[in-house]
Amino acid sequence: MPARTSKALQAWNDLNDRQQGTLAVIYDLDQAAEAGRRSGAARGEYDDRPADAWRSIDFAHEPALRDIFGWTLLQERLMGRGWDNQGNGSTMAALERRGLITRDERPTRWGYMRTVRLTREGRAAARAGTSLSPGGRRKAALGHRSWEVLALLWSAHLRGEPLKWGYSSTIERALIDKHVPPLACFLPTGGYEITDRGRDFYRKHYAAHTAAHPTVQAPHPDGSDVEPWPPTVDKLLAEHRQFYRGLLAAWKDACTAQQAAEKEATALLPKMSDTLPAAVVDQAEARHKLWCGTAQQRAALAAEHTEDLHTRAGHAARAYAVAALTAHNAAVTQANPLENMTPPDPEPDTWDEPPLPAPKETGINAIDAEATKLHAAAVGRPLKRRGPAPTRRTRRGNVRITEKPAAEPGAALYALAEHLRGHVQDGALVRRLHPAD
């Protein structure tokens, strides 16, 4: 039986693409304000305003004269995602009707500023839809940066050398001042090293911190033999990626050469002076004819190479996608990804390629929703767009694309592979899904 969808995730899924994108931007700004308030408190700068005030986000000024009053940060972020246009007001109204935001305004010198604020339900919906830790961050004694630095100190100890840094506020404040005995110490000869207490702390609290900070690549205290993610997987994925990108670059070069040669092949003979002897005109015509003829030959050769490279790049992109899917599915099921992974094959057998398997669900919507969309596009069955398409804009207005560029071979497969590789790299997905291991 499929897992039950939470109320918050259902609220997110009920939104169209534009509404999701707008809510995600508001959530990012809300979380940035919350993080800034925490950082200020850590420095002794306390913000005693009520949450309704410091969580309020400027949306749009009225009158809407951006050349005079400028852009709000919310408008800047929406522009970056393609959602900044005249439909912003109706999108905010839709989010308010669903109880995900509230809208307000405050007076300014020349009018008033429209503001928005996430509700508890809106924050939960955005977290469920976009966060890689939708259930909330796991608790750990050290923050992300402190744990990352302690892992660097541990690695330096394994190499038999200190961490050759100058002054480090993270080490001094988080690893030395806040712990008795300290987790690290400064050496008279320069640099830092992990203490006996730090090594004991690293070993005892390794599981909790890899669960809380899965993107930090911290060596397992019992050695590489018990690492849950083989480094060879990342190496193979990098080889597939490099192989595809190399073929893609060669395809682009061949396309450029073909277009240049085709243009030369159809070039007209420059008009010559009527006073020139006929023999001189004949010489120019002969040279031009030869030039056009060789250009036609070069265009034909480049076209042949373009077609071959297009096919090769497409196969390389598919092989990259297959490898990334293998790694992703292995991370989800805790299988050995190396059982079915192979390096790039310069001359692959493509006679009977099996269907591209779907990525297994991780239970994290921010990963699964994008993976599902990219997989559908990669197999030629793109999902139907929900709502209007994003509009590319700059501060000077809409961007009009007069000529659609040629589709790159294997682009959809490459996008899927990149998404999956980004999450499995360094074992981050394994640590995120299976922290107890």
Side-chain angles (χ1 to χ4, degrees):
M1 189 172 77
R4 181 180 179 182
T5 302
S6 69
K7 182 178 179 181
L9 182 55
Q10 187 60 56
W12 171 266
N13 290 335
D14 288 341
L15 303 176
N16 65 28
D17 294 345
R18 180 191 179 94
Q19 293 162 352
Q20 287 182 351
T22 302
L23 186 63
V25 170
I26 297 174
Y27 175 71
D28 288 344
L29 295 176
D30 174 86
Q31 294 301 288
E34 185 176 299
R37 191 167 180 267
R38 285 197 304 267
S39 298
R43 297 190 302 268
E45 303 169 1
Y46 297 98
D47 186 352
D48 57 0
R49 293 179 300 161
D52 287 359
W54 61 264
R55 286 192 184 275
S56 180
I57 299 170
D58 288 350
F59 165 41
H61 191 272
E62 291 293 342
L65 303 174
R66 295 187 182 182
D67 292 341
I68 299 175
F69 302 114
W71 296 52
T72 66
L73 184 56
L74 177 53
Q75 288 172 329
E76 292 269 10
R77 296 285 181 87
L78 289 173
M79 180 187 69
R81 297 195 181 197
W83 299 122
D84 179 58
N85 54 41
Q86 290 82 358
N88 287 347
S90 60
T91 300
M92 295 299 183
L95 295 176
E96 184 180 43
R97 286 195 302 270
R98 289 170 167 80
L100 303 178
I101 66 170
T102 60
R103 294 190 293 171
D104 203 348
E105 58 189 48
R106 58 178 176 81
T108 66
R109 183 178 180 182
W110 306 107
Y112 61 92
M113 177 66 73
R114 297 185 186 275
T115 62
V116 297
R117 181 170 55 84
L118 277 179
T119 63
R120 186 185 300 272
E121 293 76 15
R123 193 171 295 106
R127 184 181 296 113
T130 66
S131 175
L132 293 175
S133 302
R137 294 182 179 179
R138 294 182 172 91
K139 294 182 179 180
L142 299 180
H144 184 278
R145 178 56 179 168
S146 301
W147 172 245
E148 183 178 38
V149 173
L150 187 63
L152 292 174
L153 287 164
W154 174 276
S155 297
H157 168 71
L158 295 180
R159 296 192 302 269
E161 61 185 24
L163 189 60
K164 299 175 182 178
W165 286 5
Y167 179 84
S168 168
S169 59
T170 299
I171 296 178
E172 295 286 349
R173 297 176 184 177
L175 303 183
I176 295 178
D177 293 348
K178 292 186 178 181
H179 293 268
V180 180
L183 305 183
C185 66
F186 183 77
L187 298 175
T189 55
Y192 293 90
E193 72 174 3
I194 192 170
T195 61
D196 291 340
R197 166 62 178 153
R199 290 192 292 274
D200 184 60
F201 180 95
Y202 186 89
R203 183 176 296 278
K204 287 184 177 180
H205 299 277
Y206 178 83
H209 283 83
T210 53
H213 312 298
T215 57
V216 175
Q217 188 178 8
H220 196 285
D222 293 329
S224 58
D225 291 341
V226 294
E227 288 283 359
W229 191 251
T232 305
V233 176
D234 294 332
K235 181 175 180 293
L236 286 173
L237 289 176
E239 289 176 359
H240 276 282
R241 184 177 190 269
Q242 183 178 9
F243 184 60
Y244 166 75
R245 291 173 66 87
L247 288 172
L248 181 65
W251 173 79
K252 290 180 178 180
D253 290 343
C255 287
T256 301
Q258 180 184 350
Q259 292 168 0
E262 288 174 346
K263 184 177 181 180
E264 292 176 6
T266 57
L268 298 177
L269 176 68
K271 184 174 177 59
M272 305 186 69
S273 173
D274 295 336
T275 62
L276 290 175
V280 174
V281 173
D282 291 342
Q283 291 172 358
E285 290 178 346
R287 291 195 304 273
H288 181 71
K289 182 178 179 181
L290 178 61
W291 176 261
C292 291
T294 57
Q296 290 173 354
Q297 293 177 353
R298 285 186 282 117
L301 181 62
E304 181 182 336
H305 292 172
T306 298
E307 182 179 357
D308 177 71
L309 288 166
H310 189 284
T311 301
R312 289 178 181 273
H315 289 316
R318 191 182 191 283
Y320 181 23
V322 169
L325 280 163
T326 300
H328 170 87
N329 292 343
V332 174
T333 61
Q334 293 184 277
N336 181 4
L338 294 175
E339 288 184 356
N340 298 305
M341 288 188 68
T342 57
D345 186 353
E347 301 294 339
D349 181 8
T350 59
W351 178 257
D352 187 22
E353 292 179 329
L356 202 67
K360 292 187 179 297
E361 292 189 357
T362 65
I364 302 174
N365 186 75
I367 297 176
D368 295 341
E370 185 69 8
T372 299
K373 181 177 71 174
L374 293 173
H375 179 265
V379 298
R381 296 190 296 271
L383 300 180
K384 184 179 180 181
R385 185 185 300 279
R386 299 190 304 167
T391 303
R392 289 181 57 198
R393 285 172 61 90
T394 67
R395 285 181 175 272
R396 297 182 179 180
N398 292 348
V399 176
R400 295 182 179 179
I401 302 176
T402 57
E403 184 177 348
K404 187 176 180 180
E408 296 181 351
L413 291 160
Y414 176 72
L416 172 63
E418 285 286 276
H419 173 71
L420 298 177
R421 174 178 175 265
H423 288 291
V424 303
Q425 195 170 15
D426 297 330
L429 186 58
V430 171
R431 293 191 292 272
R432 195 179 297 281
L433 298 180
H434 314 291
D437 298 329

